[in-house]
Amino acid sequence: MPASPTVISTLRLVPFFAALPDSDLERLASTARQKKCAKHTVIMSQGDDTDSLSLYIIASGRIKVGISDEEGKEVILSILGPGQFFGEMSLVDDHPRSANIETMEASEFVVVNKEDFKRFLSQNFDMALSFMKELVRRLREADKKIESLALMDVYGRVARVLLDMAEETVDGRLMIKRRLTKQDIARMIGASREMVSRVMKDLVEMNHVSFHGSVIVLNDNLAESTR
Ligand code: CMP
């Protein structure tokens, strides 16, 4: 069956799939499937070993990667959007899923099964190298988070999350356009929602950030405040 153009274009968003020659990418795409999920769908849970056979690529929407304790207290490890992927860890080491994945909005995915992924990986050194680079990038991000949790106060941690989540607009301004609640920020930095509210209020008063409806605009002095 010929591959769907949507599946091909979604796979091309991921650097390690983009490293494949077109004919290989199309062959891989023809074996992948598409999946749609409503907001707040739990796609995988920490400890699952039943669905350890697929790699998910986000075509649209947003998901959060989290871990939680028995009382339901949650830490958000990352928020991922279009062109990003998840599920690679269990696929590589055959261990149970390391985290919970839940959609934050209605989302669409391309799902690649483990055997196909591993076959293409083993046959393409450029793809394997690009995949390793992506894993190393995630490790660097995790190191940055450990650093901010261990060495920064709550102001620094909030500022770090805002800077990490921001996108640069054409005129060079940093903005967070997608909805990011104080509760989400609190769960990303291990603080209470009340504390995050207080810090955000101070950041607005100090003119480090401003709100335009639900859009958060970061001012140049915010980055300086974390140094
Ligand atoms: P896996 O363990 O198969 O299932 C849960 C997924 O969450 C995991 O693969 C990764 O894709 C993703 N994940 C786990 N930890 C992180 C992290 N720190 N940053 C981004 N994604 C992560």
Side-chain angles (χ1 to χ4, degrees):
M1 211 175 49
S4 126
T6 319
V7 172
I8 295 176
S9 59
T10 302
L11 293 180
R12 268 198 228 286
L13 295 174
V14 185
F16 56 81
F17 287 128
L20 283 173
D22 284 352
S23 56
D24 283 353
L25 187 85
E26 278 164 32
R27 263 196 304 135
L28 178 66
S30 68
T31 66
R33 63 189 169 89
Q34 289 170 278
K35 184 178 165 102
K36 278 187 187 182
C37 294
K39 185 175 175 173
H40 295 316
T41 305
V42 175
I43 299 176
M44 44 185 83
S45 301
Q46 186 179 1
D48 277 358
D49 56 8
T50 48
D51 178 34
S52 56
L53 301 172
S54 309
L55 173 73
Y56 287 69
I57 297 97
I58 306 170
S60 66
R62 255 185 333 159
I63 61 102
K64 65 178 175 180
V65 181
I67 42 181
S68 46
D69 66 13
E70 276 124 40
E71 278 114 54
K73 193 168 162 224
E74 189 194 31
V75 176
I76 298 180
L77 299 174
S78 194
I79 293 178
L80 304 176
Q84 292 180 298
F85 61 91
F86 56 88
E88 80 293 351
M89 289 171 60
S90 303
L91 195 139
V92 167
D93 68 6
D94 291 319
H95 283 260
R97 295 293 189 192
S98 60
N100 307 313
I101 305 283
E102 185 183 328
T103 53
M104 299 176 78
E105 46 195 74
S107 304
E108 291 175 305
F109 306 96
V110 168
V111 187
V112 174
N113 84 45
K114 175 178 165 175
E115 279 69 35
D116 292 330
F117 178 72
K118 285 197 156 173
R119 186 156 38 84
F120 280 91
L121 198 63
S122 69
Q123 290 166 0
N124 290 273
F125 182 70
D126 286 348
M127 177 183 173
L129 190 63
S130 179
F131 180 57
M132 283 188 266
K133 280 190 184 160
E134 237 0 83
L135 299 182
V136 170
R137 198 183 58 73
R138 285 199 174 166
L139 182 58
R140 284 183 190 277
E141 267 177 22
D143 286 353
K144 259 188 7 199
K145 273 177 208 147
I146 293 170
E147 180 190 20
S148 90
L149 288 174
L151 303 176
M152 285 181 171
D153 60 14
V154 179
Y155 281 84
R157 289 187 225 162
V158 171
R160 207 45 291 142
V161 166
L162 296 177
L163 289 163
D164 284 349
M165 302 292 297
E167 292 165 52
E168 196 169 335
T169 59
V170 276
D171 58 359
R173 299 170 79 198
L174 289 177
M175 288 187 191
I176 302 172
K177 292 186 185 155
R178 298 213 178 216
R179 194 174 137 78
L180 182 67
T181 64
K182 296 188 179 82
Q183 185 64 269
D184 291 333
I185 299 174
R187 287 184 177 142
M188 291 171 92
I189 63 166
S192 66
R193 201 190 64 80
E194 293 70 24
M195 187 65 194
V196 171
S197 291
R198 218 174 311 149
V199 170
M200 290 294 279
K201 195 163 157 271
D202 288 351
L203 290 176
V204 170
E205 273 168 19
M206 290 186 282
N207 201 28
H208 286 323
V209 305
S210 45
F211 282 89
H212 297 266
S214 64
V215 176
I216 309 175
V217 179
L218 314 187
N219 298 329
D220 294 344
N221 53 14
L222 181 69
E224 282 149 29
S225 74
T226 65
R227 285 188 198 121

